[in-house]
Amino acid sequence: KNLEAVETLGSTSTICSDKTGTLTQNRMTVAHVWYDMKILKGDTVPGKRDREFDLKDPTCNALIRIATLCNRAVFLSGQSAKEVLSRDCQGDASESALLKAVEVAWVDEGTTTKDVRKKHKKVTEIPFNSTNKYQVSVHEMPEEDQHLLVMKGAPERVLDRCSSILIEGEIKAMPADSEYRAKFEKAYMQLGGMGERVLGFCHSFLDKEKFPKGFAFDNEEVNFPLEGLTFVGLMAMIDPPRANVPEAVEKCKSAGIKVIMVTGDHPITAAAIAKNVGIITEDVAMKMEMGEETKTAVVNGATLKDMTKKDLDLLLLKHEEIVFARTSPQQKLIIVEAFQRAGQIVAVTGDGVNDSPALKKADIGIAMGIAGSDVSKEAADMILLDDNFASIVTGVE
């Protein structure tokens, strides 16, 4: 976009890269689901039936219903002839992945997502935001003459709002020390460790007396319960790394350019993907527990929040390979500033509206041509037309 930027790109010493869509293909598919305390496979290859979950299980039915209703993605029209998993959707990548997974399941039951949504009219919703990390909607349940509240989001945030869990269709109490919570944690880690992005799902049947048909739900001054919900399950999506990224990362490293990953994903997921593409070379999970000095650091957004500038500067000095996980867009800016204090020339990639401050602050801001928002393109110095990390490296060369 501007030519001076090209010179800067040539002298870049650190690249802070976003994960989704830059390092990965941004083609998510639901690889696993977890309910009734078991991990089951999903369909990942169009036209091939691999899935092990079954809508005849009441818990599974509830999970698929939440994923259908608490979801704003829709199929683009005129694709009924295409395999469900190959269809194009309007909506973000995770929601589109969920939409395809539930559609495949509903079609086998002789219905469609569209019909299920039509039957359960949405009466209010609280959209996803990066502070709460969850999304909620309330729907009419015509058969029961009552409302159903559905929520999905970062699993730990969703679980925090639940006081019970659905097991084989029955609601079981889930106190703070419940073994259910420990089993949830284990499944979450196992799925995250495979580099999958995990979402949690819960629901609640609202009281008929307090919330009769026609009740005026208010999503600003929330007048319906968001606590004491019933946890239903997890769905885990895989977003495969782009084929030429590992080679590109390798090139950067051999040219002395640090590649740092900054993502909103869970640290376990982030580390797994970073390892896949070669941003991290050692097994971090093991090292983190043993607490030994390593050249690799996986930093959680929550930890970063409590760090002083000095702490952060020290961290960057000590470690060669760094992954920042569960970060907020504001933190991206803090990370860029820290590298600049250390005398690095920083390139940053970003696609969201809220990445703009970091793109502006960077020595060279790189926006995504396909997935990028107009605001991020405005703030950037350079736009990647193919959204591909490997193109940055070609640019540097």
Side-chain angles (χ1 to χ4, degrees):
K1 202 167 90 170
N2 74 45
L3 278 174
E4 290 146 46
V6 176
E7 278 175 35
T8 315
L9 187 63
S11 54
T12 299
S13 58
T14 300
I15 299 176
C16 292
S17 176
D18 210 12
K19 179 184 81 84
T20 310
T22 315
L23 299 172
T24 59
Q25 300 174 17
N26 208 8
R27 259 207 225 119
M28 291 213 171
T29 47
V30 174
H32 294 94
V33 302
W34 177 80
Y35 63 86
D36 289 348
M37 304 290 137
K38 48 185 194 278
I39 291 179
L40 299 169
K41 278 200 191 95
D43 292 314
T44 45
V45 183
K48 186 163 169 271
R49 184 174 170 155
D50 292 319
R51 76 171 179 284
E52 302 167 337
F53 58 89
D54 189 355
L55 278 171
K56 297 192 179 37
D57 296 344
T59 315
C60 178
N61 205 303
L63 179 62
I64 297 293
R65 180 171 61 197
I66 302 167
T68 305
L69 299 177
C70 190
N71 186 336
R72 305 174 65 166
V74 291
F75 288 116
L76 298 175
S77 56
Q79 301 188 86
S80 41
K82 262 191 183 171
E83 285 289 353
V84 173
L85 291 182
S86 314
R87 288 183 198 168
D88 296 318
C89 309
Q90 182 189 338
D92 77 27
S94 337
E95 290 216 320
S96 302
L98 293 175
L99 173 64
K100 290 173 186 173
V102 299
E103 178 73 9
V104 172
W106 289 127
V107 167
D108 281 354
E109 292 293 303
T111 174
T112 65
T113 306
K114 207 170 170 181
D115 293 339
V116 176
R117 286 178 176 172
K118 210 184 263 160
K119 213 165 91 184
H120 304 88
K121 195 176 124 231
K122 188 191 297 179
V123 284
T124 186
E125 77 176 317
I126 302 173
F128 183 86
N129 69 46
S130 49
T131 320
N132 301 341
K133 294 203 192 308
Y134 62 75
Q135 155 190 5
V136 179
S137 56
V138 178
H139 300 262
E140 287 178 1
M141 296 284 291
E143 303 99 52
E144 283 85 11
D145 205 27
Q146 124 190 70
H147 291 100
L148 173 71
L149 177 142
V150 288
M151 174 188 282
K152 79 161 188 280
E156 65 274 24
R157 296 291 183 91
V158 172
L159 193 75
D160 281 347
R161 299 187 164 271
C162 294
S163 57
S164 58
I165 183 167
L166 198 62
I167 304 278
E168 294 178 357
E170 288 178 32
I171 296 178
K172 311 266 189 194
M174 184 172 54
D177 57 357
S178 164
E179 54 161 339
Y180 293 136
R181 290 181 191 266
K183 286 187 171 159
F184 157 90
E185 204 52 48
K186 199 176 150 216
Y188 190 3
M189 290 299 146
Q190 197 181 332
L191 294 167
M194 296 190 268
E196 295 182 15
R197 172 181 274 183
V198 190
L199 287 175
F201 297 81
C202 69
H203 72 196
S204 171
F205 288 93
L206 300 181
D207 187 321
K208 288 184 195 176
E209 309 297 309
K210 290 188 193 151
F211 303 97
K213 214 175 158 152
F215 179 85
F217 288 95
D218 184 348
N219 62 358
E220 295 287 325
E221 303 284 323
V222 178
N223 60 355
F224 46 93
L226 291 176
E227 305 267 304
L229 312 172
T230 303
F231 194 80
V232 178
L234 300 169
M235 291 179 89
M237 290 161 280
I238 189 87
D239 182 7
R242 287 178 180 265
N244 45 6
V245 166
E247 185 197 348
V249 170
E250 192 41 53
K251 272 188 188 162
C252 286
K253 284 188 167 174
S254 57
I257 299 172
K258 272 190 184 174
V259 183
I260 306 291
M261 182 159 111
V262 185
T263 174
D265 273 352
H266 189 278
I268 294 261
T269 308
I273 297 271
K275 200 159 184 242
N276 273 347
V277 298
I279 290 179
I280 308 184
T281 46
E282 29 187 75
D283 217 346
V284 201
M286 296 294 301
K287 292 278 174 88
M288 275 154 76
E289 285 157 25
M290 292 154 67
E292 49 185 289
E293 288 292 298
T294 64
K295 57 173 187 174
T296 308
V298 177
V299 186
N300 197 331
T303 322
L304 184 59
K305 214 163 48 208
D306 304 331
M307 289 169 85
T308 60
K309 285 189 170 172
K310 252 206 178 104
D311 296 338
L312 186 54
D313 291 348
L314 216 86
L315 175 97
L316 303 189
L317 259 179
K318 266 190 166 150
H319 302 281
E320 291 166 37
E321 307 175 339
I322 312 179
V323 171
F324 292 97
R326 278 279 187 258
T327 48
S328 67
Q330 297 82 336
Q331 288 176 321
K332 234 185 199 183
L333 185 60
I334 296 169
I335 296 166
V336 172
E337 286 172 342
F339 276 111
Q340 288 172 330
R341 281 200 299 279
Q344 302 273 349
I345 304 279
V346 186
V348 172
T349 68
D351 54 5
V353 173
N354 39 20
D355 288 332
S356 317
L359 291 171
K360 269 237 182 318
K361 179 73 190 154
D363 298 285
I364 176 158
I366 304 172
M368 301 295 134
I370 305 169
S373 59
D374 295 348
V375 184
S376 64
K377 291 181 191 170
E378 197 59 36
D381 304 295
M382 177 171 131
I383 297 168
L384 288 185
L385 297 175
D386 59 358
D387 287 14
N388 190 342
F389 181 81
S391 314
I392 303 176
V393 180
T394 317
V396 172
E397 288 171 349

